[in-house]
Amino acid sequence: MCGICGVVGHRPATPIVFEGLRRLEYRGYDSAGIATLDEGRIERRRAAGKLDNLAAVLETQPLYGTTGIGHTRWATHGAPTENNAHPHGTSRVAIVHNGIIENFETLRTELEAEGQVFETETDSETIAQMVDYYLAAGQSPREAAFATLRRLEGAYAVAMIFAGHEGLMIGARHGAPLAVGFGDGEMFLGSDSLALAPLTRRIAYLDDGDCVVITPEKAEFFDHTGEPVERKIQVTALIAGAVGKDGYRHYMEKELHEHPLVIGQTLQRMVDPATRKVVLPPLPCDLATIPRGVITACGSAYYAGMIGRYWLEEIARLPIDIDVASELRYRNPPLTPGSLGMLISQSGETADTLAALRALKAIGLPVLSVLNAEHSTMARESDLVLGTVAGPEISVASTKAFTAQLTVLACLTIAMGRARGTLDEAGEDELVTALLDLPGKAAEVFSHQADIRKMAGIVAEARDVLYLGRGSAYPVAMEGALKLKEISYIHAEAYAAGEMKHGPISLIDRTVPIVATIPSGPLFEKTLSNLQEAKARGGRLLAFTDEAGAERLSAIAEHTIALPEVHPFVTPVIQTIGVQILAYETALLKGTDVDQPRNLAKSVTVE
Ligand code: HGA
């Protein structure tokens, strides 16, 4: 959340920073702004709303100079207005900030008492005012920045430029990501490698607590004690072309169509084609003997984790504790020593999941993370990373990362079952075959898109929608409801199908459609009975099933989608694609901003 981009060099800074912000806009789009040094003077342009508004401002009031910083905001403190937009600054300094300064009220009171005049409602402005205060007292930019950073509590990635100091930029990170890009006579700062992708492939990531002093020729890194340190330059494989829409109307549409590809790529990494065995890298624990697993994640990744729990418990007989990352550590659960911590995150930067990772490590659990961003903070702090190979996911609503996470969790389950003796060779072969069939079956789901669009016609008219599922189809229902809420702004709730009669059944009437995720298999009959109960009360049923379940469902449901027949193990993957397409089609009918829904941002780097 919140994107930061900066450059010091020899070319005009504004277009470079602006294009960097374009690639970071998925992280926040409440407002945007850029500051440059124009003949040594700080100049700022800011605008509320999306980057296009800033572009319009820059058109009439261009910004000159070769040193610049920019920001896309997802507001935490202060309304999303132009006045609260970053960069914040004075005549001496301009800063951009991602994170939350938790002691900002104390610092603000202190600075106001010293005569500093604040202009915004944000926590972030405290950083600018404190640096300004130290500069006014005669300190150098480096001294003022370091002195300020020592006073900050909370989380930050920050970039600063200083009046009269062309070619100087100072960055720092504590709990929020920041990367330095190395160019030819120019250097860059960015929230992630995506921001820097077309500018350079040579990137160094700041460690937590690091500070970096950047000039066009070099970057000097300092650790949290202020000691100079080296940070390795990595050559990233990411190319700019990977982040286009490829002719699709939205990134979400493109990413939905990438489901088969990313499942296939992820399997390629985890399954040996010669032996058809799942091969994991060396693990931080012995899978055969771990007593329990703890899964934690946020949002869609949490639902992927719930499906993982069904698999790990049923197939590998591993008891699983699971909770959302923002709650896990507050419960202070008495975790069994020797358990394996398992985290799931697309960005690897989600603040709540990162905090949970640290909490699990602090009590001595080994941590395995299922991550899409392999250069992320979580990747660095985990004992083992299983990569999801989904490529950049730009749409704020996650789609392909989810099925890639499921693919990894399915492979982990197989490896775990083998190690624990709950899955014999034939069983492993059957499940691996089911996985290898998945990319083709996932592609077949799109042949139902027109029918799902008809279903969306009903959903788009509703104010409230219920999603129902049993077993591993229950978290799929949760994912469907979340996706619908996120991008169509229609209220949706998911219930375990058997729970409906314990409360939500009172909601049912003609105006509340019920979306059921009901694959054929052992739970089919019981789920069908729950749907009959809803039907008997006037509920309009919309069902995602498969060819074997379609006939019975079409007798009671208004729309039935017969998704491709797959092994029961992998039905959640196929069903997920169905409910995600439903959310997308509904959002199209509602005319919402599919890729950048209101109030949201991807990569939630604040708690
Ligand atoms: N607290 C700052 C930055 C917000 C942020 O990083 N969001 O992810 C603000 O509200 O501007």
Side-chain angles (χ1 to χ4, degrees):
M1 275 180 172
C2 287
I4 290 180
C5 190
V7 60
V8 286
H10 45 83
R11 294 186 284 160
T14 303
I16 296 175
V17 172
F18 188 85
E19 283 312 311
L21 295 183
R22 269 259 181 265
R23 292 185 292 279
L24 289 171
E25 200 178 12
Y26 73 96
R27 297 174 72 97
Y29 32 83
D30 285 336
S31 65
I34 297 180
T36 59
L37 290 182
D38 183 358
E39 297 185 347
R41 276 189 332 273
I42 287 177
E43 293 285 343
R44 286 189 291 164
R45 304 287 182 266
R46 300 176 296 164
K50 294 201 173 180
L51 261 180
D52 288 342
N53 299 349
L54 178 65
V57 171
L58 289 167
E59 189 100 338
T60 52
Q61 303 166 60
L63 267 182
Y64 303 103
T66 56
T67 299
I69 52 176
H71 189 266
T72 57
R73 180 172 187 233
W74 184 82
T76 65
H77 293 60
T81 57
E82 179 186 334
N83 191 51
N84 286 332
H86 302 222
H88 297 296
T90 65
S91 59
R92 298 184 183 89
V93 61
I95 70 104
V96 287
H97 165 228
N98 166 206
I100 292 175
I101 305 303
E102 288 170 0
N103 60 339
F104 84 99
E105 280 162 325
T106 315
L107 298 179
R108 184 171 175 144
T109 308
E110 197 180 293
L111 286 160
E112 281 175 338
E114 293 291 337
Q116 294 296 126
V117 180
F118 282 70
E119 290 173 354
T120 79
E121 300 159 325
T122 66
D123 53 329
S124 312
E125 193 192 354
T126 315
I127 305 171
Q129 292 293 346
M130 187 166 276
V131 175
D132 182 83
Y133 171 77
Y134 287 127
L135 289 171
Q139 295 195 1
S140 69
R142 191 184 290 217
E143 288 164 342
F146 282 35
T148 300
L149 293 169
R150 278 196 293 273
R151 300 287 317 275
L152 303 182
E153 288 168 17
Y156 53 82
V158 64
M160 312 175 185
I161 57 174
F162 307 87
H165 293 268
E166 297 278 1
L168 174 68
M169 178 165 59
I170 295 184
R173 72 157 286 184
H174 183 262
L178 197 62
V180 178
F182 291 73
D184 223 357
E186 55 187 357
M187 302 280 283
F188 314 98
L189 263 182
S191 292
D192 62 23
S193 54
L194 205 58
L196 306 176
L199 299 168
T200 177
R201 292 182 54 204
R202 296 191 307 131
I203 290 173
Y205 295 90
L206 273 71
D207 273 1
D208 231 22
D210 278 2
C211 181
V212 62
V213 178
I214 299 176
T215 58
E217 288 75 35
K218 64 175 197 285
E220 294 172 83
F221 293 89
F222 302 86
D223 69 10
H224 67 283
T225 64
E227 280 303 303
V229 278
E230 293 294 320
R231 295 288 172 233
K232 207 171 117 222
I233 300 178
Q234 313 188 10
V235 179
T236 140
L238 201 64
I239 47 154
V243 294
K245 280 190 207 153
D246 290 355
Y248 289 102
R249 289 165 291 180
H250 298 100
Y251 281 110
M252 184 174 178
E253 187 182 30
K254 175 188 169 209
E255 290 160 7
L256 278 167
H257 282 268
E258 286 174 348
H259 276 303
L261 177 75
V262 306
I263 295 168
Q265 285 175 174
T266 306
L267 285 173
Q268 251 172 26
R269 189 175 289 182
M270 303 198 74
V271 177
D272 178 340
T275 60
R276 294 167 63 89
K277 294 247 175 279
V278 171
V279 183
L280 297 184
L283 286 152
C285 60
D286 181 0
L287 293 184
T289 56
I290 47 171
R292 290 186 85 82
V294 186
I295 298 181
T296 190
C298 302
S300 284
Y302 172 66
Y303 302 138
M306 283 184 73
I307 294 169
R309 173 178 69 174
Y310 280 96
W311 286 337
L312 288 163
E313 292 197 332
E314 189 182 328
I315 296 167
R317 310 304 299 152
L318 178 71
I320 297 289
D321 296 312
I322 181 162
D323 204 347
V324 288
S326 54
E327 283 299 319
L328 181 78
R329 64 193 192 285
Y330 302 123
R331 279 175 37 218
N332 192 14
L335 297 170
T336 315
S339 298
L340 174 64
M342 288 172 269
L343 306 179
I344 308 164
S345 167
Q346 190 282 126
S347 67
E349 302 292 349
T350 313
D352 288 316
T353 314
L354 183 58
L357 183 158
R358 290 173 179 158
L360 292 179
K361 292 210 71 158
I363 56 170
L365 298 197
V367 172
L368 174 161
S369 293
V370 178
L371 303 175
N372 199 33
E374 295 184 38
H375 294 297
S376 55
T377 309
M378 277 181 227
R380 287 196 294 279
E381 297 191 17
S382 301
D383 297 295
L384 176 69
V385 174
L386 297 179
T388 49
V389 209
E393 190 178 65
I394 306 298
S395 164
V396 165
S398 182
T399 52
K400 61 175 180 170
F402 186 89
T403 51
Q405 287 159 356
L406 290 183
T407 308
V408 170
L409 290 168
C411 291
L412 180 63
T413 301
I414 293 171
M416 196 95 68
R418 187 205 308 144
R420 299 170 75 78
T422 57
L423 193 62
D424 61 16
E425 203 148 313
E428 174 167 5
D429 194 59
E430 183 183 324
L431 298 188
V432 168
T433 303
L435 283 173
L436 295 176
D437 277 350
L438 253 182
K441 297 290 184 186
E444 282 177 34
V445 176
F446 291 90
S447 65
H448 297 280
Q449 192 156 357
D451 285 338
I452 298 176
R453 192 170 304 133
K454 287 188 199 139
M455 221 184 215
I458 294 175
V459 174
E461 296 292 305
R463 213 188 62 179
D464 307 287
V465 182
L466 270 183
Y467 281 69
L468 298 178
R470 257 180 200 263
S472 61
Y474 167 43
V476 174
M478 296 169 107
E479 161 65 3
L482 177 66
K483 213 100 297 175
L484 188 76
K485 279 186 276 212
E486 277 181 301
I487 62 170
S488 75
Y489 313 149
I490 295 172
H491 171 239
E493 291 300 331
Y495 273 87
E499 272 294 292
M500 191 190 54
K501 57 187 177 293
H502 299 291
I505 200 162
S506 67
L507 293 174
I508 290 174
D509 63 21
R510 293 288 298 163
T511 67
V512 183
I514 296 163
V515 178
T517 47
I518 170 170
S520 57
L523 303 182
F524 183 83
E525 294 300 336
K526 287 216 185 308
T527 315
L528 193 64
S529 299
N530 301 137
L531 299 186
Q532 293 281 16
E533 291 151 15
K535 171 90 177 166
R537 286 156 181 86
R540 300 177 75 179
L541 302 180
L542 311 172
F544 285 95
T545 183
D546 45 34
E547 282 137 27
E551 201 184 310
R552 308 249 333 262
L553 275 161
S554 39
I556 60 164
E558 213 160 319
H559 282 285
T560 300
I561 307 295
L563 294 167
E565 207 76 57
V566 288
H567 190 288
F569 176 48
V570 294
T571 51
V573 183
I574 292 296
Q575 292 253 324
T576 294
I577 301 173
V579 293
Q580 289 179 345
I581 295 175
L582 176 62
Y584 177 70
E585 291 292 343
T586 308
L588 287 185
L589 291 174
K590 298 285 283 186
T592 53
D593 191 340
V594 173
D595 283 334
Q596 296 183 333
R598 69 184 179 209
N599 299 341
L600 286 168
K602 207 166 179 74
S603 183
V604 187
T605 56
V606 293
E607 286 178 59

